[in-house]
Amino acid sequence: MNIKTISGIFCIILCMTTAARAENGHQLWLRKGKANPVTIVCQGSSPILKNAVKELEAGWLGEPGSKLILSVGRDKRLKGDGFMLDSRGIHASTDKGILYGVYDLLRRQKTGESAKSVVSNPAYEYRLLNHWDNLDGSVERGYAGRSIFWRGDKDLAVTQNDRVLWQEYARACASVGINASVLNNVNASPRILDPEYLKRVKAIADILRPYGIKTFLSVNFSSPVRLGGLKTSDPLDKDVIRWWKVKTEEIYKLIPDFGGFLVKANSEGQPGPQDFGRTHADGANMMADVLKPYRGIVMWRAFVYSSQEKDRARQAYNEFMPLDGAFRDNVIIQVKNGPIDFQPREPFSPLFGAMKKTAVMPELQITQEYLGHSYQLAFLAPMWEECLKSDTYQEGKGSTVARCTDGSIFKYPYTAIAGVANTGLDLNWCGHPFAQANWYAFGRQAWDHTLTSEQIADEWTKLTFYNPDVAYGKSEKHGDWERGFLKPVKEMMLESREAVVNYSMPLGFHHIFSADDHYGPGPWFGPKSVRPDWTSVYYHQADTNGVGFNRTRSGSNAVSQYHEPLASQLNDVQTCPEKYLLWFHHLPWDFKLKSGKTLWDEICFHYDHGIQQVRGFQKTWDLTEPYVDKQRFLQVQNLLMRQTLDAQVWKDGCILYFQQFSRRPVPYDLERPVFGLEFIKKKRPILIFE
Amino acid sequence: MNIKTISGIFCIILCMTTAARAENGHQLWLRKGKANPVTIVCQGSSPILKNAVKELEAGWLGEPGSKLILSVGRDKRLKGDGFMLDSRGIHASTDKGILYGVYDLLRRQKTGESAKSVVSNPAYEYRLLNHWDNLDGSVERGYAGRSIFWRGDKDLAVTQNDRVLWQEYARACASVGINASVLNNVNASPRILDPEYLKRVKAIADILRPYGIKTFLSVNFSSPVRLGGLKTSDPLDKDVIRWWKVKTEEIYKLIPDFGGFLVKANSEGQPGPQDFGRTHADGANMMADVLKPYRGIVMWRAFVYSSQEKDRARQAYNEFMPLDGAFRDNVIIQVKNGPIDFQPREPFSPLFGAMKKTAVMPELQITQEYLGHSYQLAFLAPMWEECLKSDTYQEGKGSTVARCTDGSIFKYPYTAIAGVANTGLDLNWCGHPFAQANWYAFGRQAWDHTLTSEQIADEWTKLTFYNPDVAYGKSEKHGDWERGFLKPVKEMMLESREAVVNYSMPLGFHHIFSADDHYGPGPWFGPKSVRPDWTSVYYHQADTNGVGFNRTRSGSNAVSQYHEPLASQLNDVQTCPEKYLLWFHHLPWDFKLKSGKTLWDEICFHYDHGIQQVRGFQKTWDLTEPYVDKQRFLQVQNLLMRQTLDAQVWKDGCILYFQQFSRRPVPYDLERPVFGLEFIKKKRPILIFE
């Protein structure tokens, strides 16, 4: 791997000051170029406004000597931290709005988009990153180096390096509209609430604040026992409630604008209110009451599944729907986009729109846990767009997931959207140069879910690869670059997630990855000693008769959790979209698809198409060489080689495995496998190719 | 790997008797089927004739109750151990001729070839296998298990298992006309002449004899010192000569029809006459004189190359041509097919036809040292046919290598051809099921070098895969099998060696394999500590200006060792066959080939075509499933998967390596590499994929 981990912050500073064109990716989409002089009129002088002015001065690509007015004041066209741009300058209701307006204006200059008459309001109030960073510095499902926040109990002192890095991080978040950050893993250590740690949390919060980022923490439900020494963590116990009150007060003394708690309770072994015979509502409400005086909120995760229920996809719905209306108004239920777990493709979770009396927020995963870690190019905007624009029909046609969660349909006091971060100490933050696009895209979609993936890819590619000295469209070579780089690279990005789906889990396949690392194929995983819903065989249900999970009315009836007409559409194999076919249906191998091909043949063609797509990406990228710096060119070129190999392993492993049941030949048009099934099972390709 | 090594001979016997249809490959092309009753009239009763009768009775597929006459007597149409077939039976001048006639007749019945009027004479008198078997049981460049002859000093006792195996071996050799066997490695241990070992040699010879196989031994030139305790091995020393005389007498007492010695002298560190200031002729003639009274012969290898000469390809010629005429008439110079060392493609050695006063015999390599060991399917008949039918022009047009060595042009008292065996204790003898075809093909070409590779592939495929119960053409399913198996498999075989050339060393590349195992790519191999002609960089000479070894008149002038008009044809880049281009020429990367493509592009296309060919073989083989037993089907299917992977490693390794010099892109039409150069260099793919 060419990805370097930061050993000391000094090298970063060095890179940024003396070799700004080295293009190691550390500057993300905020590459520093030449700027024109500009005069800025700004009445306020808050730290946020100061940052706004500083950014404008450092990045202005408009007419040299222009004069810009930054004004703060109410306007009925504005909502929350929204802003307006016009020829005179930027207007917003809040200082944060000005900052967002500045980043938007600079982005428009760099990408050639008009800034003449813009009104832009955020879709969600809270646009959060969830960092699954452990206090020891490791990052759960992180593939870009160690944590940027934590280094373990023995290294809590805040260094100048820390401050520089956190500021860079805050700036990057703010530049795409992210305004909140949960600093630690949802599988939370109670230690995060220890005064020693809270001191470091305060230091982080102080650096994030001038960029408009609110600080949140994940908390462990049994903190009263494990940290406080109490005998119980029962949420209805007075001592427990008092403990949380005191702890919360302690936090707000350090961080007056602290955001609140994120809680994973009674999920995958984490403690929770059910341990004491209480409900999720009992637990969440107790915390909500404690936070209420400070305007803090509780984000309570719905990612729960007991080992009893026969269909894991039904469980979050089954467990939470009865509690609808039982939560305080400063509780938001955080729901993963799909009913299982961040698979390359899932239908949306049926909880969206179904919980009508409780605020619900989507949780998306930016880190590529199931989409190739930081080895594979997978632009995730299309995946999130697919979810957010899915119609739940819960309040009639057009009740998209986005509109069911952003307050348009249900008037929640708080709205939010979270993304599980993909950041780490890797010099380029995200490991894969194109993984940066997912951080970017999450921020942009969280601000405005009506944006298309194509628009976001267009912006990001220009910002990340175009000459940062030149406003877009003002270079002679602009047309060359557009044809030689922008167009093919955008096409590649937009195709990339579907390629991953094709070579790993096409046609509704899900959860057939290798169990230990969630990277390569593992449809064979099904030891008797493991609970069934942690195995692959549970999800694909392949046998000689057919394949797929029957979630129709004749099966687990998970379809009934969706609103009509969707429930009936998904229930009927003739109307169920083929991309969800094996998610909802168990079908014979010779079932005829719309293409006229049998299910088996179509499975083979999808796997094959996946690897062909990645081979195509390799060709596409090779042709961009004249338009991109050597460093990133070679890094991506190498990564795409590996991705083709990974696609081969996926394709071969899955085709050979399922062929044992289908007992049918691979269609003649397709290349035969090259990795044997036993080889793939025995040798862990991820280990081999590193 | 699915290849099983024999742990005890009992399992073989078991397989052959109780499960003849198990098709583990042990029966080679001699699969036992049903036979019809036949009456045989045979006057003699020698062990050879007894075997002939036994074979006929066990394998007769002609009219039930036929009567056949086997008669021995002179006939002017016959030469050596030739035979004649007609409706009455078999006629030959020798008992061996009858045996060969029997095998030929049975083959014709099994393959549907007419036996009505056949006269068949062997091209060469000696048709030998050279076993590179070490006395400790290992086999140099052997990829099919341990030696069938040796198990080390401590296990010299001859067991019943040994006898069964040696008999099966002798029968297989005789069935394709092989009549001599060198039992030990040319890198010979002096111990082979120890009485203990000679006892075992005698036991082997006694079992080979009834199948017409003569026994030979490789001897170490310093045996007089190392075994005899003399102070010198100088071939002109009287004590040395006496030692060899006594030893030879000892041998002939045990084995009255012993064939003679094979000697690798002053080659790759082996001792030889030059150690004592004597010539190859001095050494060979001393031995020849000792063997003469017994009609024994010396096969003296010309595989020599000192580290002084600038072009290794010139050296055998340079060292041996001055000695032409200096050898006794029972010495034969054994010359490898090409001037370097059994590469996937070489031009023929210029010694063929050039040594006019000395018998010369071709040495071919059956074991796939440079063509994928027993992992890759490479049918070598086309390679040998290419060599044997090459025109040396030494005695005018039509002076092919075959005609220069078989006695047609030069009237040598002895003629011979040797093949380095690919046999071992693997249950199927050769490792790869299709490697058996190379053993078969060597025997057939040694008997009749006018046979085409297509004819040989046709015979072998029918014998090895067609229903052994049914004479060819007499089954209802015959047509199906011909279309579904014979035709595509033959095409695959005939294409296979060229595929190896394409994905490993196309366009005249040679000696660019990985140095330690001669398996994967290693064009980068060139440590300063190693003599240059053992490195790869010496042979490809790649730099930013171009690639290839200049052996033209402006270079090493190796072309001058060939006879006109060939010398001039090879010397001129416009007339040099493209398959030998980089063997003889150093050319710029943008040199235009006949296709109109540049040299660089053409190199890429050849590598790519190679892997596409193997992918094609995979498809071809998959379609044969209904026509072949499960066991061999799956084994070959698995091996072809690995071959595609190997081809990928070769293609990627070579293209990425040479691209460092060519500095040109891979043509857009072609797939990009998937294995990185550093990965291939660092991790040994052969180790990974086993």
Side-chain angles (χ1 to χ4, degrees):
Chain A
M1 292 304 310
N2 285 324
I3 300 162
K4 300 261 173 26
T5 295
I6 301 166
S7 57
I9 199 74
F10 291 115
C11 74
I12 305 179
I13 296 168
L14 205 69
C15 291
M16 292 185 63
T17 53
T18 66
R21 292 298 180 278
E23 300 295 10
N24 54 35
H26 188 72
Q27 295 186 75
L28 299 158
W29 49 87
L30 292 166
R31 291 146 74 228
K32 188 162 172 48
K34 289 176 194 156
N36 295 330
V38 60
T39 304
I40 296 156
V41 179
C42 177
Q43 291 172 318
S45 64
S46 70
I48 290 177
L49 285 177
K50 276 185 185 161
N51 274 331
V53 171
K54 199 169 73 180
E55 292 285 6
L56 262 185
E57 288 174 343
W60 180 253
L61 288 178
E63 287 305 306
S66 302
K67 186 178 155 188
L68 275 189
I69 300 168
L70 311 184
S71 59
V72 179
R74 293 198 171 275
D75 187 295
K76 63 183 175 186
R77 287 167 293 177
L78 293 175
K79 177 189 137 192
D81 297 321
F83 58 83
M84 297 190 293
L85 309 180
D86 62 26
S87 55
R88 288 167 306 160
I90 305 171
H91 184 75
S93 310
T94 64
D95 291 0
K96 284 191 203 177
I98 295 292
L99 184 64
Y100 297 132
V102 166
Y103 285 120
D104 197 63
L105 179 56
L106 294 176
R107 177 180 62 71
R108 285 166 188 272
Q109 289 181 343
K110 287 185 193 157
T111 62
E113 219 179 315
S114 164
K116 277 189 185 143
S117 175
V118 174
V119 179
S120 180
N121 289 309
Y124 295 93
E125 180 179 355
Y126 287 113
R127 305 169 297 278
L128 304 103
L129 288 188
N130 286 187
H131 290 274
W132 287 0
D133 293 21
N134 296 312
L135 303 188
D136 66 2
S138 63
V139 181
E140 186 165 334
R141 310 304 172 190
Y143 314 102
R146 310 271 303 169
S147 169
I148 60 173
F149 297 122
W150 313 108
R151 281 190 300 271
D153 288 358
K154 287 176 186 151
D155 199 0
L156 285 164
V158 175
T159 67
Q160 179 56 19
N161 296 346
D162 287 337
R163 289 197 183 90
V164 170
L165 194 66
W166 296 338
Q167 189 183 6
E168 290 173 350
Y169 162 81
R171 178 172 174 250
C173 285
S175 74
V176 291
I178 292 166
N179 69 350
S181 193
V182 185
L183 303 185
N184 61 317
N185 192 354
V186 288
N187 292 319
S189 164
R191 293 270 294 153
I192 188 66
L193 297 180
D194 186 285
E196 274 193 297
Y197 272 94
L198 289 178
K199 217 170 127 187
R200 191 169 167 93
V201 172
K202 173 189 161 47
I204 298 169
D206 288 346
I207 287 172
L208 305 194
R209 191 176 297 111
Y211 285 94
I213 317 278
K214 229 184 218 310
T215 297
F216 287 74
L217 292 176
S218 296
V219 294
N220 186 298
F221 199 80
S222 64
S223 297
V225 170
R226 292 179 57 196
L227 190 70
L230 303 196
K231 286 188 180 153
T232 180
S233 295
D234 181 347
L236 303 193
D237 182 275
K238 280 183 185 167
D239 291 337
V240 170
I241 297 169
R242 188 178 314 116
W243 188 90
W244 281 108
K245 272 192 176 157
V246 171
K247 181 53 72 181
T248 302
E249 187 181 354
E250 181 188 345
I251 296 171
Y252 275 92
K253 267 192 185 146
L254 294 166
I255 308 158
D257 61 345
F258 180 71
F261 299 142
L262 170 62
V263 190
K264 175 177 180 179
N266 294 123
S267 162
E268 295 182 331
Q270 291 297 325
Q274 293 174 343
D275 303 348
F276 312 97
R278 315 302 181 188
T279 67
H280 284 291
D282 293 332
N285 291 343
M286 179 274 288
M287 288 186 174
D289 291 342
V290 165
L291 287 162
K292 183 88 175 179
Y294 310 98
R295 285 190 52 80
I297 65 170
V298 174
M299 295 171 292
W300 194 270
R301 290 173 99 233
F303 180 62
V304 297
Y305 54 105
S306 78
S307 57
Q308 313 306 318
E309 156 76 51
K310 289 231 173 102
D311 180 2
R312 173 168 159 190
R314 291 167 47 95
Q315 297 190 57
Y317 185 98
N318 284 354
E319 225 173 297
F320 275 83
M321 278 304 288
L323 298 172
D324 190 19
F327 292 96
R328 301 285 186 271
D329 64 4
N330 61 334
V331 174
I332 312 185
I333 305 302
Q334 181 165 318
V335 177
K336 290 188 181 184
N337 57 298
I340 302 284
D341 188 15
F342 296 141
Q343 299 304 288
R345 169 165 279 133
E346 299 193 30
F348 67 86
S349 165
L351 278 170
F352 293 118
M355 290 190 88
K356 296 176 199 303
K357 293 174 271 177
T358 308
V360 169
M361 62 185 281
E363 177 179 337
L364 310 175
Q365 193 180 43
I366 307 170
T367 191
Q368 292 166 237
E369 177 178 357
Y370 297 103
L371 289 103
H373 300 188
S374 54
Y375 295 112
Q376 296 177 14
L377 193 161
F379 180 53
L380 302 183
M383 180 164 83
W384 303 328
E385 186 182 359
E386 183 174 285
C387 172
L388 292 171
K389 294 182 178 171
S390 288
D391 199 338
T392 70
Y393 296 96
Q394 288 285 356
E395 298 290 320
K397 200 158 161 22
S399 306
T400 61
V401 170
R403 295 189 68 242
C404 286
T405 52
D406 72 357
S408 321
I409 292 177
F410 304 107
K411 300 294 173 193
Y412 306 134
Y414 298 95
T415 62
I417 185 168
V420 181
N422 64 349
T423 50
L425 283 181
D426 273 0
L427 191 50
N428 74 356
W429 299 92
C430 303
H432 198 303
F434 278 81
Q436 298 179 351
N438 295 328
W439 183 4
Y440 182 90
F442 169 75
R444 296 291 290 140
Q445 286 190 343
W447 183 278
D448 181 0
H449 53 63
T450 69
L451 286 172
T452 64
S453 300
E454 196 277 338
Q455 285 173 282
I456 296 170
D458 188 84
E459 291 176 8
W460 178 81
T461 307
K462 288 171 177 168
L463 294 171
T464 305
F465 290 104
Y466 192 65
N467 185 346
D469 291 341
V470 183
Y472 196 75
K474 301 223 169 152
S475 157
E476 282 177 17
K477 292 182 178 170
H478 158 267
D480 282 355
W481 186 86
E482 205 164 61
R483 278 183 298 276
F485 192 90
L486 179 63
K487 188 169 173 293
V489 169
K490 263 167 50 183
E491 283 171 4
M492 171 175 75
M493 290 173 71
L494 291 169
E495 190 183 342
S496 59
R497 177 261 188 156
E498 201 65 34
V500 177
V501 170
N502 282 328
Y503 66 65
S504 66
M505 307 190 203
L507 289 166
F509 273 130
H510 52 289
H511 208 294
I512 59 171
F513 46 79
S514 80
D516 43 0
D517 53 32
H518 299 190
Y519 185 78
W524 45 82
F525 182 72
K528 291 271 176 277
S529 58
V530 170
R531 51 184 275 190
D533 58 357
W534 283 354
T535 70
S536 299
V537 295
Y538 168 89
Y539 291 96
H540 63 65
Q541 302 270 331
D543 59 27
T544 53
N545 297 317
V547 65
F549 199 121
N550 184 355
R551 294 192 171 104
T552 67
R553 285 165 196 147
S554 72
S556 80
N557 199 20
V559 293
S560 71
Q561 295 182 339
Y562 292 93
H563 200 283
E564 289 294 1
L566 192 55
S568 294
Q569 186 198 329
L570 297 172
N571 185 68
D572 182 348
V573 72
Q574 296 307 326
T575 53
C576 179
E578 286 190 348
K579 62 185 174 182
Y580 301 132
L581 202 60
L582 302 176
W583 185 286
F584 288 110
H585 297 270
H586 184 82
L587 297 170
W589 294 105
D590 62 358
F591 178 80
K592 276 274 172 20
L593 272 76
K594 295 190 181 72
S595 63
K597 293 195 183 81
T598 64
L599 176 58
W600 167 248
D601 282 3
E602 199 64 73
I603 287 170
C604 292
F605 272 98
H606 273 79
Y607 278 109
D608 189 75
H609 186 53
I611 187 172
Q612 302 299 351
Q613 287 175 296
V614 188
R615 286 178 182 164
F617 300 161
Q618 287 190 284
K619 289 187 181 183
T620 296
W621 186 252
D622 271 12
L623 288 182
T624 68
E625 189 168 7
Y627 306 99
V628 63
D629 54 286
K630 197 87 183 161
Q631 197 170 355
R632 289 183 296 179
F633 173 76
L634 289 176
Q635 194 185 353
V636 173
Q637 190 185 44
N638 274 317
L639 286 163
L640 284 172
M641 286 181 25
R642 166 157 183 163
Q643 190 167 352
T644 299
L645 207 48
D646 287 341
Q648 184 87 56
V649 171
W650 264 104
K651 174 194 163 194
D652 293 354
C654 291
I655 286 184
L656 290 172
Y657 172 76
F658 288 117
Q659 196 173 30
Q660 300 174 117
F661 304 103
S662 80
R663 298 177 181 173
R664 283 147 198 272
V666 175
Y668 186 75
D669 289 352
L670 306 184
E671 279 169 31
R672 311 292 100 172
V674 294
F675 291 106
L677 188 55
E678 294 313 311
F679 170 80
I680 295 174
K681 284 185 186 178
K682 197 175 63 183
K683 306 232 178 177
R684 303 279 305 105
I686 190 176
L687 296 179
I688 290 170
F689 299 117
E690 266 174 6
Chain B
M1 293 302 309
N2 286 323
I3 301 163
K4 299 261 171 28
T5 295
I6 300 167
S7 58
I9 199 73
F10 291 115
C11 75
I12 305 179
I13 296 167
L14 205 70
C15 290
M16 292 184 65
T17 54
T18 66
R21 292 296 180 278
E23 301 294 9
N24 54 35
H26 188 71
Q27 296 187 76
L28 298 159
W29 49 87
L30 293 166
R31 291 146 74 227
K32 190 164 170 45
K34 289 177 193 153
N36 295 329
V38 60
T39 305
I40 295 157
V41 179
C42 177
Q43 291 171 318
S45 65
S46 71
I48 289 177
L49 285 176
K50 277 185 184 160
N51 274 331
V53 171
K54 199 169 74 182
E55 292 285 7
L56 261 185
E57 288 174 344
W60 180 253
L61 289 177
E63 288 304 306
S66 303
K67 186 179 154 188
L68 273 189
I69 301 168
L70 311 184
S71 59
V72 178
R74 292 198 172 275
D75 188 295
K76 61 180 177 185
R77 288 167 293 177
L78 293 176
K79 176 189 139 193
D81 297 321
F83 58 83
M84 298 191 293
L85 309 180
D86 61 26
S87 55
R88 290 167 305 161
I90 305 172
H91 184 76
S93 311
T94 64
D95 290 0
K96 283 191 203 177
I98 295 293
L99 184 65
Y100 297 133
V102 165
Y103 285 121
D104 197 63
L105 178 56
L106 294 176
R107 178 181 61 71
R108 286 167 187 271
Q109 289 180 343
K110 286 186 194 156
T111 62
E113 220 178 314
S114 164
K116 277 188 186 146
S117 175
V118 173
V119 179
S120 181
N121 289 310
Y124 295 92
E125 178 178 356
Y126 287 114
R127 306 170 296 279
L128 305 102
L129 287 187
N130 286 187
H131 289 274
W132 287 359
D133 292 23
N134 296 312
L135 302 188
D136 66 1
S138 64
V139 181
E140 186 165 335
R141 309 306 173 188
Y143 313 103
R146 311 271 301 168
S147 169
I148 59 173
F149 297 122
W150 313 110
R151 281 190 301 269
D153 289 357
K154 289 177 185 150
D155 199 2
L156 285 166
V158 175
T159 67
Q160 178 57 20
N161 295 347
D162 287 337
R163 290 198 182 88
V164 170
L165 194 66
W166 296 339
Q167 188 184 6
E168 290 172 350
Y169 163 81
R171 178 173 175 250
C173 285
S175 75
V176 291
I178 292 167
N179 68 349
S181 192
V182 185
L183 303 184
N184 61 319
N185 192 355
V186 288
N187 293 319
S189 164
R191 294 270 294 152
I192 188 66
L193 297 180
D194 186 285
E196 277 194 296
Y197 271 94
L198 289 179
K199 217 170 127 187
R200 192 170 166 93
V201 172
K202 174 190 161 47
I204 298 169
D206 287 347
I207 287 171
L208 305 193
R209 190 177 297 110
Y211 285 93
I213 318 279
K214 230 185 217 313
T215 297
F216 287 74
L217 293 176
S218 296
V219 294
N220 187 298
F221 199 80
S222 65
S223 296
V225 169
R226 292 179 57 194
L227 190 70
L230 304 195
K231 287 191 176 148
T232 180
S233 295
D234 181 349
L236 303 193
D237 182 275
K238 282 181 184 169
D239 291 338
V240 169
I241 298 169
R242 187 177 315 117
W243 188 88
W244 281 109
K245 272 191 177 157
V246 171
K247 182 53 74 182
T248 302
E249 188 181 354
E250 180 188 346
I251 296 171
Y252 275 93
K253 267 193 187 146
L254 294 166
I255 308 158
D257 60 344
F258 180 70
F261 298 142
L262 170 61
V263 190
K264 175 175 179 178
N266 294 123
S267 163
E268 294 182 333
Q270 291 296 326
Q274 292 174 345
D275 304 346
F276 312 97
R278 314 301 181 189
T279 67
H280 284 291
D282 293 333
N285 291 343
M286 178 273 288
M287 288 186 173
D289 290 342
V290 166
L291 287 162
K292 183 88 174 177
Y294 310 98
R295 285 189 53 79
I297 64 169
V298 174
M299 295 171 290
W300 193 269
R301 291 174 97 235
F303 180 61
V304 297
Y305 54 105
S306 77
S307 57
Q308 313 306 319
E309 156 77 49
K310 289 234 173 103
D311 180 2
R312 174 169 159 188
R314 291 167 46 94
Q315 297 189 58
Y317 185 98
N318 283 354
E319 225 174 295
F320 276 81
M321 277 305 287
L323 298 172
D324 191 19
F327 292 96
R328 299 287 187 269
D329 63 5
N330 61 335
V331 173
I332 311 185
I333 305 303
Q334 181 165 316
V335 177
K336 291 189 180 183
N337 58 297
I340 301 283
D341 189 15
F342 296 140
Q343 298 305 287
R345 169 164 280 131
E346 299 194 28
F348 67 86
S349 165
L351 278 170
F352 293 118
M355 292 191 89
K356 296 174 200 301
K357 292 174 271 177
T358 308
V360 169
M361 62 184 283
E363 176 179 337
L364 310 174
Q365 193 179 43
I366 306 170
T367 190
Q368 293 167 235
E369 177 178 357
Y370 298 103
L371 289 102
H373 299 185
S374 54
Y375 295 113
Q376 296 177 14
L377 193 161
F379 180 53
L380 302 183
M383 181 165 81
W384 303 328
E385 186 182 1
E386 183 175 284
C387 172
L388 293 170
K389 293 183 179 172
S390 288
D391 200 339
T392 70
Y393 296 96
Q394 288 283 356
E395 297 290 318
K397 200 161 162 24
S399 306
T400 61
V401 170
R403 297 188 67 244
C404 285
T405 51
D406 72 356
S408 320
I409 292 177
F410 306 107
K411 300 294 173 191
Y412 307 134
Y414 297 95
T415 63
I417 184 167
V420 180
N422 64 349
T423 50
L425 283 182
D426 273 2
L427 191 51
N428 74 356
W429 298 92
C430 303
H432 198 303
F434 279 79
Q436 299 179 349
N438 295 327
W439 182 5
Y440 183 90
F442 169 75
R444 297 290 290 139
Q445 287 190 343
W447 183 278
D448 181 359
H449 54 63
T450 69
L451 285 172
T452 65
S453 301
E454 196 277 336
Q455 284 173 281
I456 297 170
D458 188 83
E459 290 175 9
W460 179 81
T461 307
K462 288 171 177 169
L463 294 171
T464 306
F465 290 104
Y466 192 65
N467 184 346
D469 292 342
V470 183
Y472 196 76
K474 300 219 169 157
S475 157
E476 283 178 17
K477 291 183 178 169
H478 159 267
D480 282 355
W481 187 84
E482 205 164 62
R483 277 185 298 276
F485 192 89
L486 179 64
K487 188 169 172 292
V489 169
K490 262 167 53 182
E491 284 172 3
M492 172 175 75
M493 290 172 72
L494 291 169
E495 190 182 341
S496 59
R497 177 261 190 156
E498 200 65 33
V500 178
V501 170
N502 282 329
Y503 65 65
S504 66
M505 308 189 203
L507 289 166
F509 274 128
H510 52 289
H511 208 294
I512 58 172
F513 45 80
S514 78
D516 43 1
D517 52 32
H518 298 190
Y519 185 78
W524 45 82
F525 183 72
K528 292 271 177 277
S529 57
V530 171
R531 51 184 277 192
D533 58 357
W534 283 353
T535 70
S536 298
V537 295
Y538 167 90
Y539 292 96
H540 63 65
Q541 303 270 331
D543 58 28
T544 52
N545 297 317
V547 64
F549 199 121
N550 184 355
R551 295 192 170 104
T552 67
R553 287 168 194 145
S554 71
S556 80
N557 200 20
V559 293
S560 70
Q561 295 183 338
Y562 292 93
H563 200 283
E564 288 295 358
L566 192 56
S568 293
Q569 186 198 328
L570 297 172
N571 185 68
D572 182 348
V573 71
Q574 296 305 326
T575 53
C576 178
E578 286 188 349
K579 61 185 174 182
Y580 300 132
L581 203 58
L582 302 175
W583 185 285
F584 288 110
H585 297 271
H586 184 82
L587 297 170
W589 295 105
D590 61 359
F591 178 81
K592 276 272 171 24
L593 272 75
K594 294 189 183 73
S595 63
K597 294 196 184 80
T598 65
L599 175 59
W600 167 248
D601 283 2
E602 198 64 73
I603 287 170
C604 293
F605 272 98
H606 273 79
Y607 277 109
D608 188 76
H609 187 51
I611 187 172
Q612 302 298 350
Q613 287 175 295
V614 188
R615 286 178 182 163
F617 300 161
Q618 288 190 283
K619 289 187 181 183
T620 296
W621 186 252
D622 271 12
L623 289 181
T624 67
E625 188 168 7
Y627 305 100
V628 63
D629 54 285
K630 196 88 183 161
Q631 197 170 356
R632 288 183 297 179
F633 173 76
L634 289 176
Q635 194 185 354
V636 173
Q637 190 184 45
N638 274 316
L639 286 163
L640 284 172
M641 286 181 21
R642 165 155 182 164
Q643 189 167 352
T644 298
L645 206 49
D646 287 341
Q648 184 86 56
V649 171
W650 264 104
K651 175 194 161 193
D652 293 353
C654 291
I655 285 184
L656 290 172
Y657 172 76
F658 289 117
Q659 195 173 31
Q660 299 175 117
F661 304 105
S662 80
R663 297 177 182 172
R664 284 149 197 273
V666 175
Y668 186 74
D669 289 352
L670 305 184
E671 279 169 29
R672 311 291 99 174
V674 293
F675 291 106
L677 188 55
E678 293 313 311
F679 170 80
I680 295 174
K681 284 185 186 178
K682 197 175 63 183
K683 306 232 178 179
R684 305 279 305 104
I686 190 177
L687 296 179
I688 290 170
F689 299 118
E690 269 175 1

